[in-house]
Amino acid sequence: MGIRFIAVGATVFHHSGANWLSSQPWAPKILANSALHAQMALGFFFVLSGFILQTLYRGRLSENGAWRGYGVSRVARIYPVYLIGVLLMAPAYAVVAWGALPQFVLVQCWATLGNTWEWQNWNPPAWMLSVEFFFYLCFPLLCGLVERAPRYLLFAGVAMVALFAIVTGSVDPPTEMQRFPWMNYLPLPVLRLPEFFAGMLLAEWQARRGIRALPIPPELSLLVFVIVLGRDSFGLQAACAVILATLVILGLVNAPRAPFTRLMNTRAFMLLGAASYALYIIHEPVNFALRAIASGRSLLMLQYPIDLALSIAILFLVETPARKWINARFAIIGKRRQNDAMPAVSAVSAATF
């Protein structure tokens, strides 16, 4: 989906340009506020991830060897580029301590929000990948439940997630102190799991419903989404943003001929969408490198073209080849194990009959 590039691009600008834009007298307030509040829509990625995985693996995890194939494909999808981001940030954050190790197995954000374990996260945006990795482990167990759920439970589940987000503020940007004391004792992935689960529920509903137009076109949902982020801060802003982002996803799926959908499906946006993961991972290392080279802001305007060019290069030179190699390599290993097991299976069958 090309929409991923827009979401990631907004996140990149939030991290590196939002404060500058908001200080410019010529900048429209709605644009400046949208940049400042872009982090409130990060739940969009969790919902989209659940939606995509349920769509891809619905009805497939019961097949022989499916769980193993799923696990390999997920590692191949995220880990090579993730590792590049961690290593590129090592000069800025590397400290010889045990707290640096958890990030190499993607568990650095699994401690409770009020933890004192001092686990390090060298590449700050990687917190989302640590959370996402937890979702990947939960998905095979949740997928079958969602597939068997009655239609009314799909709606009820999404409604409960929305209510949970509104009441608790769980989709707000992570902070040391949450809205309710009990939330401080929950690991961050557990706190954000409802968003991923909502995406799965919506994907199951969509699969049963088929592609049919919704009353709200994706363009309208996106416009309201921008208006919500463009407002001054208010209590339910993050929850509203995630709900509207979810409507954008459903709108794109159910309106394939809408102008915005067609734009997102052009070759250019499909390429940018494919490169958006690398863009998300490497934008902080690029920003750090430019600041180290030039203490002022003279080179910082170069970060965006560098980010874009480097992310596309990583897509073609690292991400895609590494994913193909890992999947192919483990497929060969799996076939070998299966072939090795065949004589034993045959012997048991012969003895049985």
Side-chain angles (χ1 to χ4, degrees), residues 15 17 42 73 108 122 185 188 220 231 237-238 287 290 339 347:
H15 288 158
L42 291 179
S73 69
Q108 69 270 30
W122 294 349
Y185 300 98
L188 182 59
L220 180 58
R231 295 279 304 277
Q237 195 169 21
N287 185 270
L290 289 177
N339 292 336

Side-chain angles (χ1 to χ4, degrees), residues 245-276:
T246 301
L247 291 177
V248 173
I249 297 171
L250 291 176
L252 288 170
V253 172
N254 287 284
R257 291 189 174 88
F260 183 61
T261 307
R262 293 171 65 182
L263 175 64
M264 292 297 99
N265 289 333
T266 59
R267 284 189 175 183
F269 270 98
M270 292 297 286
L271 171 61
L272 294 172
S276 61

Side-chain angles (χ1 to χ4, degrees), residues 152-239:
Y152 73 91
L153 281 184
L154 300 178
F155 289 110
V158 173
M160 290 177 63
V161 170
L163 182 63
F164 179 78
I166 290 171
V167 172
T168 65
S170 61
V171 298
D172 292 344
T175 60
E176 291 299 324
M177 295 301 296
Q178 296 296 306
R179 191 175 297 181
F180 296 101
W182 57 266
M183 297 171 66
N184 296 311
Y185 300 98
L186 285 181
L188 182 59
V190 174
L191 196 60
R192 305 304 294 261
L193 183 62
E195 297 154 70
F196 177 80
F197 189 58
M200 294 179 60
L201 294 171
L202 288 170
E204 181 66 23
W205 171 78
Q206 179 64 54
R208 299 183 192 181
R209 176 181 186 270
I211 297 177
R212 285 184 288 163
L214 294 174
I216 303 175
E219 295 88 349
L220 180 58
S221 298
L222 183 63
L223 176 61
V224 178
F225 170 78
V226 172
I227 292 173
V228 166
L229 288 185
R231 295 279 304 277
D232 292 331
S233 297
F234 61 93
L236 299 179
Q237 195 169 21

Side-chain angles (χ1 to χ4, degrees), residues 84-146:
I84 289 175
V86 172
L87 295 178
L88 286 176
M89 289 299 288
Y93 289 90
V95 176
V96 180
W98 288 107
L101 295 181
Q103 65 187 321
F104 287 96
V105 288
L106 287 156
V107 300
Q108 69 270 30
C109 292
W110 288 21
T112 57
L113 291 172
N115 84 89
T116 57
W117 297 354
E118 297 182 354
W119 284 356
Q120 297 173 20
N121 185 43
W122 294 349
N123 190 15
W127 73 268
M128 288 191 66
L129 274 300
S130 178
V131 173
E132 189 76 14
F133 181 56
F134 178 83
F135 297 164
Y136 288 168
L137 295 178
C138 295
F139 174 76
L141 302 176
L142 297 175
C143 183
L145 296 176
V146 171

Side-chain angles (χ1 to χ4, degrees), residues 4-67:
R4 288 185 299 184
F5 172 72
I6 294 180
V8 170
T11 303
V12 170
F13 188 73
H14 164 76
H15 288 158
S16 57
N19 290 330
W20 171 82
L21 181 65
S22 63
S23 66
Q24 304 304 310
W26 51 263
K29 188 174 183 180
I30 187 173
L31 185 61
N33 278 345
S34 295
L36 288 171
H37 299 152
Q39 83 279 11
M40 294 187 177
L42 291 179
F44 161 81
F45 294 106
F46 297 148
V47 176
L48 181 62
S49 178
F51 189 93
I52 291 175
L53 286 183
Q54 184 67 21
T55 301
L56 288 176
Y57 289 97
R58 180 177 184 264
R60 292 176 53 192
L61 288 180
S62 59
E63 300 171 2
N64 186 33
W67 281 42

